[in-house]
């Protein structure tokens, strides 16, 4: 399969809009995917349209090389390529609640970096609450170790060369309909939906890349 390049299209969610009920409501999922993500896709395509020589770049390449792009589109690419990547990453990090737990080498890495799963989730919640305004919390893999970082707006860790394995969108549009301004309740609900097997396979490829670089 050819890697996706311009023009980008809004791929369907990997589950139904109501699949995350009662933790994330159907209307929020519809608006988040069909309107918010769609807008980032439309704006990214509009930004790239006058630059045919950029049309062969993937989303990841656009983000990793933002500072090498024409100066006048750097901010638009950062916001909109980031907006597409970050949202896809967010949606694919969720699954219908299944009481899944981290397994195998991912569980070991969480224990090594944070002590145990509860300590990780407490640190994650504190980081998510610390984001002022709009942004994301990320779990990134650095040389096989795990670290929690936050990014403002639609900035992506890829731009800094970091490998994300989990994220959480803490823009108010992700939770306002159900939780109003109470971000802490959204974080607690989100915890039940983490797609740990997706996180684990991302961690495995990051750890393999680290091993092959040594
Ligand atoms: Mn969002």
């Amino acid at each position: 399969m050819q890697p996706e390049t311009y023009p980008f299209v809004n791929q369907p969610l990997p589950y139904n809009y109501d699949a995350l009920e009662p933790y994330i409501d159907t209307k929020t999922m519809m608006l988040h995917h069909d309107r918010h993500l769609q807008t980032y896709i439309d704006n990214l395509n509009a930004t790239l349209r006058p630059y045919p020589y950029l049309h062969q770049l993937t989303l990841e390449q656009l983000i990793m090389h933002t500072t090498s792009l024409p100066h006048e589109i750097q901010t638009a690419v950062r916001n909109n390529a980031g907006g597409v990547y970050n949202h896809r990453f967010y949606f694919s990090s969720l699954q219908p609640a299944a009481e899944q737990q981290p397994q195998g080498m991912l569980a070991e890495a969480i224990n090594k970096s944070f002590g145990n799963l509860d300590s990780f989730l407490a640190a994650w919640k504190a980081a998510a609450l610390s984001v002022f305004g709009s942004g994301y919390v990320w779990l990134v893999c650095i040389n096989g170790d795990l670290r929690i970082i936050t990014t403002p707006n639609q900035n992506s860790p890829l731009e800094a060369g970091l490998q994300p394995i989990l994220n959480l969108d803490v823009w108010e549009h992700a939770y306002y309909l159900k939780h109003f301004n109470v971000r802490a309740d959204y974080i607690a609900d989100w915890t039940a939906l983490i797609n740990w097997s997706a996180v684990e396979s991302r961690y495995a490829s990051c750890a393999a890349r680290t091993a092959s670089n040594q």
Side-chain angles (χ1 to χ4, degrees), residues 32 36 40 87 90-91 136 154 169 171 173-174:
H32 206 169
H36 291 277
Y40 289 110
H87 278 103
Y90 168 75
F91 291 131
Y136 288 78
Q154 294 295 352
D169 181 345
W171 285 58
H173 67 232

Side-chain angles (χ1 to χ4, degrees), residues 95-193:
Q95 64 176 359
E99 296 189 24
Q100 202 186 54
Q101 302 267 318
Q103 305 288 331
M105 61 192 296
L106 174 64
E108 285 171 31
I110 288 173
N111 293 343
K112 178 165 173 254
S113 296
F114 301 100
N116 56 49
L117 181 61
D118 286 344
S119 305
F120 161 69
L121 290 172
W124 181 270
K125 181 179 177 184
L129 291 173
S130 79
V131 176
F132 181 75
S134 297
Y136 288 78
V137 196
W138 300 86
L139 187 61
V140 298
C141 163
I142 302 172
N143 297 328
D145 289 332
L146 299 177
R147 194 175 304 165
I148 295 171
I149 65 164
T150 64
T151 55
N153 305 313
Q154 294 295 352
N155 292 22
S156 168
L158 287 189
E159 196 181 347
L162 296 169
Q163 289 298 319
I165 65 169
L166 176 66
N167 76 351
L168 173 57
D169 181 345
V170 295
W171 285 58
E172 277 190 344
H173 67 232
Y175 60 87
Y176 200 85
L177 292 182
K178 176 161 190 254
H179 297 293
F180 306 110
N181 59 330
V182 188
R183 189 186 286 177
D185 289 353
Y186 161 64
I187 299 164
D189 276 359
W190 168 87
T191 304
L193 303 171

Side-chain angles (χ1 to χ4, degrees), residues 9-112:
V9 296
N10 200 1
Q11 296 157 2
L13 287 172
Y15 36 72
N16 292 329
Y17 294 106
D18 63 358
L20 307 182
E21 294 270 10
Y23 300 100
I24 299 180
D25 59 285
T26 306
K27 192 160 192 187
T28 293
M29 290 304 291
M30 293 178 79
L31 292 169
H32 206 169
H33 178 270
D34 295 1
R35 300 218 194 160
H36 291 277
L37 174 52
Q38 185 68 55
T39 299
Y40 289 110
I41 287 174
D42 294 344
N43 289 342
L44 177 60
N45 287 333
T47 300
L48 296 174
R49 198 163 295 129
Y51 299 88
Y53 69 99
L54 300 177
H55 291 180
Q56 82 280 13
L57 296 180
T58 65
L59 201 53
E60 288 80 359
Q61 288 169 334
L62 286 164
I63 294 169
M64 288 190 289
H65 304 297
T66 300
T67 54
S68 313
L69 299 177
H71 194 259
E72 68 275 11
I73 62 167
Q74 287 184 11
T75 300
V77 169
R78 183 173 292 114
N79 291 342
N80 294 297
V84 177
Y85 179 88
N86 298 349
H87 278 103
R88 287 179 173 175
F89 202 96
Y90 168 75
F91 291 131
S92 66
S93 298
L94 298 173
Q95 64 176 359
E99 296 189 24
Q100 202 186 54
Q101 302 267 318
Q103 305 288 331
M105 61 192 296
L106 174 64
E108 285 171 31
I110 288 173
N111 293 343
K112 178 165 173 254

